[in-house]
mmCIF file of all heavy atoms in Angstrom:
data_model
loop_
_atom_site.group_PDB
_atom_site.id
_atom_site.type_symbol
_atom_site.label_atom_id
_atom_site.label_comp_id
_atom_site.label_asym_id
_atom_site.label_seq_id
_atom_site.Cartn_x
_atom_site.Cartn_y
_atom_site.Cartn_z
ATOM 1 N N MET A 39 1.920 -6.325 0.507
ATOM 2 C CA MET A 39 0.788 -6.225 -0.330
ATOM 3 C C MET A 39 0.601 -4.842 -0.852
ATOM 4 O O MET A 39 0.639 -3.765 -0.179
ATOM 5 C CB MET A 39 -0.511 -6.524 0.438
ATOM 6 C CG MET A 39 -1.768 -6.600 -0.488
ATOM 7 S SD MET A 39 -3.330 -6.559 0.432
ATOM 8 C CE MET A 39 -3.805 -4.846 0.063
ATOM 9 N N THR A 40 0.433 -4.746 -2.256
ATOM 10 C CA THR A 40 0.278 -3.465 -2.903
ATOM 11 C C THR A 40 -1.058 -2.889 -2.581
ATOM 12 O O THR A 40 -2.029 -3.548 -2.567
ATOM 13 C CB THR A 40 0.390 -3.642 -4.413
ATOM 14 O OG1 THR A 40 1.744 -4.174 -4.654
ATOM 15 C CG2 THR A 40 0.182 -2.348 -5.140
ATOM 16 N N ALA A 41 -1.130 -1.546 -2.181
ATOM 17 C CA ALA A 41 -2.430 -0.960 -1.933
ATOM 18 C C ALA A 41 -2.417 0.536 -2.347
ATOM 19 O O ALA A 41 -1.437 1.247 -2.100
ATOM 20 C CB ALA A 41 -2.681 -1.080 -0.483
ATOM 21 N N ASN A 42 -3.445 0.997 -2.894
ATOM 22 C CA ASN A 42 -3.630 2.476 -3.226
ATOM 23 C C ASN A 42 -4.684 3.138 -2.300
ATOM 24 O O ASN A 42 -4.881 4.316 -2.425
ATOM 25 C CB ASN A 42 -3.737 2.715 -4.657
ATOM 26 C CG ASN A 42 -5.067 2.320 -5.346
ATOM 27 O OD1 ASN A 42 -5.783 1.554 -4.675
ATOM 28 N ND2 ASN A 42 -5.278 2.718 -6.477
ATOM 29 N N ALA A 43 -5.411 2.258 -1.651
ATOM 30 C CA ALA A 43 -6.550 2.801 -0.806
ATOM 31 C C ALA A 43 -5.968 3.229 0.534
ATOM 32 O O ALA A 43 -6.116 2.577 1.551
ATOM 33 C CB ALA A 43 -7.682 1.831 -0.608
ATOM 34 N N PHE A 44 -5.285 4.274 0.483
ATOM 35 C CA PHE A 44 -4.454 4.848 1.738
ATOM 36 C C PHE A 44 -4.668 6.336 1.815
ATOM 37 O O PHE A 44 -4.778 7.020 0.736
ATOM 38 C CB PHE A 44 -2.852 4.581 1.433
ATOM 39 C CG PHE A 44 -2.091 5.513 2.278
ATOM 40 C CD1 PHE A 44 -1.826 5.200 3.600
ATOM 41 C CD2 PHE A 44 -1.386 6.562 1.731
ATOM 42 C CE1 PHE A 44 -1.004 6.058 4.348
ATOM 43 C CE2 PHE A 44 -0.594 7.356 2.461
ATOM 44 C CZ PHE A 44 -0.368 7.120 3.815
ATOM 45 N N MET A 45 -4.822 6.722 3.051
ATOM 46 C CA MET A 45 -4.878 8.171 3.224
ATOM 47 C C MET A 45 -4.414 8.570 4.671
ATOM 48 O O MET A 45 -4.436 7.788 5.644
ATOM 49 C CB MET A 45 -6.354 8.766 3.024
ATOM 50 C CG MET A 45 -7.357 8.220 4.008
ATOM 51 S SD MET A 45 -8.948 8.958 3.690
ATOM 52 C CE MET A 45 -9.928 8.078 4.858
ATOM 53 N N SER A 46 -4.093 9.805 4.755
ATOM 54 C CA SER A 46 -3.880 10.532 6.134
ATOM 55 C C SER A 46 -5.286 10.748 6.669
ATOM 56 O O SER A 46 -6.118 11.380 5.973
ATOM 57 C CB SER A 46 -3.020 11.682 5.898
ATOM 58 O OG SER A 46 -2.924 12.440 7.193
ATOM 59 N N VAL A 47 -5.398 10.571 7.996
ATOM 60 C CA VAL A 47 -6.772 10.744 8.645
ATOM 61 C C VAL A 47 -6.707 11.812 9.591
ATOM 62 O O VAL A 47 -7.733 12.642 9.680
ATOM 63 C CB VAL A 47 -7.237 9.419 9.292
ATOM 64 C CG1 VAL A 47 -8.443 9.622 10.122
ATOM 65 C CG2 VAL A 47 -7.445 8.285 8.245
ATOM 66 N N SER A 48 -5.670 11.940 10.379
ATOM 67 C CA SER A 48 -5.635 12.858 11.567
ATOM 68 C C SER A 48 -4.268 13.331 11.731
ATOM 69 O O SER A 48 -3.305 12.516 11.626
ATOM 70 C CB SER A 48 -6.245 12.228 12.785
ATOM 71 O OG SER A 48 -5.874 12.855 13.975
ATOM 72 N N LEU A 49 -4.138 14.623 12.207
ATOM 73 C CA LEU A 49 -2.799 15.168 12.432
ATOM 74 C C LEU A 49 -2.437 15.128 13.948
ATOM 75 O O LEU A 49 -1.294 14.840 14.291
ATOM 76 C CB LEU A 49 -2.835 16.720 11.964
ATOM 77 C CG LEU A 49 -1.423 17.293 11.972
ATOM 78 C CD1 LEU A 49 -0.516 16.697 10.997
ATOM 79 C CD2 LEU A 49 -1.610 18.888 11.579
ATOM 80 N N ASN A 50 -3.483 15.244 14.755
ATOM 81 C CA ASN A 50 -3.221 15.187 16.262
ATOM 82 C C ASN A 50 -4.357 14.465 16.879
ATOM 83 O O ASN A 50 -5.408 15.077 17.210
ATOM 84 C CB ASN A 50 -3.140 16.702 16.765
ATOM 85 C CG ASN A 50 -2.679 16.651 18.217
ATOM 86 O OD1 ASN A 50 -2.159 15.676 18.721
ATOM 87 N ND2 ASN A 50 -3.001 17.754 18.990
ATOM 88 N N PRO A 51 -4.206 13.105 17.116
ATOM 89 C CA PRO A 51 -3.097 12.289 16.944
ATOM 90 C C PRO A 51 -2.885 11.983 15.523
ATOM 91 O O PRO A 51 -3.752 12.131 14.669
ATOM 92 C CB PRO A 51 -3.325 11.085 17.832
ATOM 93 C CG PRO A 51 -4.801 10.931 17.688
ATOM 94 C CD PRO A 51 -5.425 12.343 17.707
#
Side-chain angles (χ1 to χ4, degrees):
M39 188 195 102
T40 301
N42 69 347
F44 159 76
M45 66 175 174
S46 173
V47 171
S48 163
L49 192 60
N50 187 22

